[in-house]
Amino acid sequence: MKEVPISKRSIVIIFLLVAVLAGGVFTLQRLIPTSTSGLVTPSPNDQMASAAATKAVEAFFTVDYQVGMDSWLNRLCDLTTDSGCQFISIGASPMWDRYLEEKTIVMAEASALQKVADKQSEQVWQVNVSLSAALPGSNKLLDTTYVVVSKTDTGWLFDRFLLQPEINALLVKQGKASQYGRNF
Amino acid sequence: MRKVILVCCIIVLLIPVSVQAQDESPWSEVFDETGAVRPDVNDLGVTTDNPDWMSIDLPFGQSLDLEANYHTYHTANGSTVVMPSATTLFFMAMNPTESGLSDSLGMMSNGNGSMISFLGSVAGSNIDWNAVSSDHPEYSNPDQFWNAVLTGQQDVWTYFSGWNFITLLTSVSWDDAALRTALLLYQADDPNCAVLPNGCPVQVVVTPEPVETSPRCPDPKVTVQPLTANIQKTGPANPLVIGQDPDKKRGADISVSVSVPPVIFTWYEPIYKEKEDCGYNANGVYVCKIKRVFKECRKHVENLPDPVASLQATASLDSASRAWITGQLGQTHYGAYIHKPTLSLVPGLAGWNGGCSGGGSCSASAHINRAPFADPGTFNLSLQGMTSGTSFMGARISDPRPIQATSSFQVYVTLPALIP
């Protein structure tokens, strides 16, 4: 057996190195945003909720003036909560007046970008939308929206589009969350 | 009915109103000293509007312009009392200045009290109160928070912890207690009348004028699709007269089926839009005339069921077969005779079942098993019936239609022969 002499100074240096290393790892974990969050497989619940959001958004922005507002509403309301259907119904007429005037025919495709809020029976999803042609009053073919989906007895259904003040508030919350590591 | 609702409001808030009446409150032009609605208050019914502050911005420059609904009353002094729907009131509370809420004389006698009750009722459970008390320790209770929201001093959106309660407001009825206390009074001399829910209060309201443009909707159209009916022998392949088949009294099986597609009724509903035309008349009185203007023809397509009302099916031996039995067969087989040349299959030997699907298609069927055919030859099968016809909202759309189908099949006999 061969003895390896280690001085007290070396032991102190080794301890200091270990402490600095641990501290560095801890600090990096706190500073660097969780870059793997986007790689996590969404839960079945989230998959159903995001599918509800994208299907309804596609139905909302898919417009054929020839089929009329009632058919559009019927198709859309199959994908929404009862109150969400009612909410859209009381506000869709002016929008459809423009579609009829402009003889609008547009196909929409939507994809869920991220879940921005989750309250068990309600979620808010950021959804990207692309159109086959521009809608009246706009020349955009790509845009983003935030939608509320609700868990019902028959599964996840679209409830409504988020209002602009709600979007602003959510974005502020998200900023705070990433700053302080809070979860919304 | 509308006055009944208003009277309910008075009962709910009878005491404070009486106190206000003694102080000559502006509400005294709505209620008398006993708290009852004054007889000169005019119920104008429900009016609608599409204000900017109820417009929801959507992607691609689109917007969902929610309809604001107000139950409106008009006082003799020209002031307007409005009772907004729950959705309208919520958006008014979220936009107190733009909606004219802050220009109203408040809810009955207790200032913002009723509005705070309303907000607490519909949105209180969707507020993150922990975050509110953490960020704003100056609010010692929720009422102080709501009051700050209503006066435009506090942003509420940051503290909402739920979302679908906003759409659920659409199901709150006019009779809801939270709404019944939310009456807003706008006096005739309000300088900011342009921001009021129904525009400036009017001195004279003219009842809706006749339709400005007569409707130009197409005539209704009825499309009757042909029905199909079928009657046929389904077994056995070569039926023998009963008694001769190996399986005694096998007879033959007959099947009947009817299929009636829906009658398509296309009709057009004229849709009108109310257009308000306001201005000062020769006497200097601000007058609003409401015209009903034709807007569009809304197309409706109804798939009307035309159910089967009656069915009869019979089988009858044809005349050639009858002649063969009594003639040719009678010569070789002495005593041959016709046993039963006609059979009532439906309803004689079996009943029929029918019904209609949700899409308006109707059907009927019957199955006659082991029908006892006792004579050889050709049997003619005949199906006769009627449908019920169609109607829509009490009006006859199409008449009953006849159902007819025929076919034939052979019944065989084995004849013994002596071979020398």
Side-chain angles (χ1 to χ4, degrees):
Chain A
M1 180 70 74
K2 188 181 179 182
E3 283 188 5
V4 179
I6 302 174
S7 66
K8 280 185 180 175
R9 190 180 168 196
S10 302
I11 292 170
V12 170
I13 289 171
I14 289 168
F15 268 110
L16 279 174
L17 278 174
V18 169
V20 167
L21 201 64
V25 169
F26 180 75
T27 309
L28 280 173
Q29 279 182 337
R30 298 286 294 176
L31 288 178
I32 298 172
T34 317
S35 58
T36 55
S37 60
L39 302 174
V40 174
T41 306
S43 69
N45 210 36
D46 284 0
Q47 285 178 341
M48 287 187 283
S50 65
T54 53
K55 278 183 190 171
V57 168
E58 283 178 355
F60 187 93
F61 288 106
T62 296
V63 175
D64 183 346
Y65 79 97
Q66 295 167 111
V67 302
M69 188 178 79
D70 287 346
S71 298
W72 175 80
L73 269 178
N74 286 341
R75 196 176 67 242
L76 187 58
C77 286
D78 287 342
L79 306 168
T80 69
T81 60
D82 289 345
S83 56
C85 169
Q86 181 70 10
F87 200 68
I88 293 170
S89 301
I90 61 173
S93 271
M95 194 170 67
W96 262 87
D97 286 346
R98 293 192 292 275
Y99 295 160
L100 292 171
E101 267 178 34
E102 302 282 331
K103 299 189 181 343
T104 305
I105 299 179
V106 168
M107 294 291 290
E109 278 186 22
S111 58
L113 194 63
Q114 61 171 334
K115 181 175 69 176
V116 294
D118 189 345
K119 295 288 177 189
Q120 294 186 336
S121 62
E122 291 180 274
Q123 291 186 358
V124 177
W125 282 83
Q126 186 182 7
V127 176
N128 280 345
V129 198
S130 63
L131 304 181
S132 61
L135 286 165
S138 164
N139 53 9
K140 294 173 81 173
L141 295 177
L142 293 170
D143 212 338
T144 299
T145 186
Y146 293 82
V147 300
V148 179
V149 287
S150 292
K151 193 173 191 178
T152 69
D153 294 341
T154 54
W156 285 91
L157 292 171
F158 174 91
D159 190 59
R160 67 180 173 91
F161 290 98
L162 225 53
L163 312 179
Q164 193 57 48
E166 292 176 295
I167 296 171
N168 297 341
L170 265 182
L171 294 178
V172 169
K173 275 186 186 177
Q174 274 190 317
K176 282 184 183 173
S178 58
Q179 192 177 347
Y180 300 113
R182 280 162 65 181
N183 207 6
F184 287 92
Chain B
M1 178 60 191
R2 288 164 183 161
K3 281 203 173 177
V4 171
I5 294 171
L6 195 55
V7 168
C8 289
C9 303
I10 300 158
I11 294 167
V12 169
L13 298 165
L14 182 60
I15 295 169
V17 168
S18 299
V19 172
Q20 288 287 317
Q22 287 168 6
D23 297 338
E24 295 198 1
S25 155
W27 287 95
S28 60
E29 60 183 289
V30 184
F31 307 105
D32 64 20
E33 61 276 3
T34 66
V37 67
R38 293 173 62 105
D40 52 2
V41 170
N42 190 17
D43 183 348
L44 301 181
V46 176
T47 56
T48 61
D49 193 11
N50 288 106
D52 290 343
W53 44 267
M54 281 190 74
S55 179
I56 297 174
D57 291 334
L58 301 176
F60 307 107
Q62 306 304 295
S63 62
L64 206 55
D65 299 322
L66 298 185
E67 197 175 69
N69 289 271
Y70 311 93
H71 201 133
T72 311
Y73 304 89
H74 195 230
T75 71
N77 292 346
S79 297
T80 304
V81 179
V82 297
M83 182 167 68
S85 69
T87 303
T88 309
L89 195 56
F90 177 79
F91 276 87
M92 289 179 87
M94 297 300 107
N95 304 275
T97 307
E98 299 88 334
S99 67
L101 180 68
S102 52
D103 294 315
S104 78
L105 291 178
M107 267 50 63
M108 302 296 287
S109 61
N110 54 354
N112 285 337
S114 296
M115 180 59 98
I116 288 171
S117 300
F118 167 78
L119 288 172
S121 165
V122 301
S125 59
N126 290 284
I127 292 288
D128 183 354
W129 292 112
N130 289 333
V132 171
S133 52
S134 168
D135 294 351
H136 297 281
E138 68 271 23
Y139 301 137
S140 57
N141 58 54
D143 285 7
Q144 290 182 354
F145 169 77
W146 286 124
N147 199 51
V149 170
L150 288 169
T151 53
Q153 296 166 355
Q154 174 62 56
D155 168 48
V156 67
W157 301 104
T158 310
Y159 300 106
F160 278 130
S161 59
W163 300 280
N164 68 354
F165 74 95
I166 292 181
T167 59
L168 290 173
L169 291 172
T170 57
S171 59
V172 176
S173 76
W174 293 101
D175 290 335
D176 188 88
L179 266 191
R180 287 210 308 266
T181 59
L183 287 172
L184 308 172
L185 173 64
Y186 298 91
Q187 288 186 297
D189 55 356
D190 192 312
N192 301 311
C193 65
V195 301
L196 302 188
N198 293 308
C200 296
V202 293
Q203 293 292 335
V204 179
V205 173
V206 178
T207 50
E209 288 197 338
V211 176
E212 193 177 64
T213 317
S214 50
R216 301 174 293 267
C217 293
D219 292 333
K221 185 180 162 191
V222 178
T223 306
V224 179
Q225 304 177 91
L227 60 82
T228 55
N230 188 39
I231 180 168
Q232 63 180 3
K233 180 211 72 181
T234 53
N238 298 301
L240 288 167
V241 292
I242 53 166
Q244 283 203 325
D245 44 350
D247 179 9
K248 297 277 184 183
K249 296 188 178 178
R250 169 65 181 82
D253 301 334
I254 309 295
S255 180
V256 167
S257 65
V258 179
S259 177
V260 188
V263 171
I264 299 170
F265 178 53
T266 308
W267 60 285
Y268 299 85
E269 177 189 13
I271 304 295
Y272 300 93
K273 195 175 181 180
E274 283 197 349
K275 188 178 168 188
E276 201 174 45
D277 185 15
C278 295
Y280 290 93
N281 66 11
N283 300 323
V285 177
Y286 195 78
V287 178
C288 282
K289 293 179 180 178
I290 300 167
K291 290 180 179 177
R292 291 184 73 212
V293 181
F294 174 72
K295 184 184 168 193
E296 61 179 328
C297 292
R298 188 168 292 166
K299 184 180 178 183
H300 299 271
V301 179
E302 317 289 346
N303 289 330
L304 304 176
D306 189 4
V308 175
S310 64
L311 273 186
Q312 296 91 38
T314 55
S316 176
L317 189 64
D318 74 357
S319 55
S321 299
R322 295 181 198 214
W324 178 78
I325 291 169
T326 54
Q328 193 176 341
L329 185 63
Q331 288 172 6
T332 54
H333 293 77
Y334 180 74
Y337 67 98
I338 299 169
H339 293 76
K340 200 170 186 181
T342 59
L343 273 84
S344 173
L345 303 173
V346 177
L349 297 176
W352 61 275
N353 293 307
C356 300
S357 70
S361 294
C362 300
S363 62
S365 63
H367 300 283
I368 305 98
N369 293 324
R370 305 173 80 94
F373 292 98
D375 300 288
T378 302
F379 274 89
N380 291 324
L381 298 174
S382 171
L383 177 65
Q384 303 280 333
M386 290 295 284
T387 67
S388 300
T390 61
S391 58
F392 181 65
M393 296 178 79
R396 170 67 74 185
I397 302 300
S398 65
D399 291 328
R401 286 185 282 166
I403 299 168
Q404 287 181 326
T406 57
S407 69
S408 62
F409 76 105
Q410 292 289 327
V411 174
Y412 297 90
V413 63
T414 54
L415 299 174
L418 294 174
I419 300 170

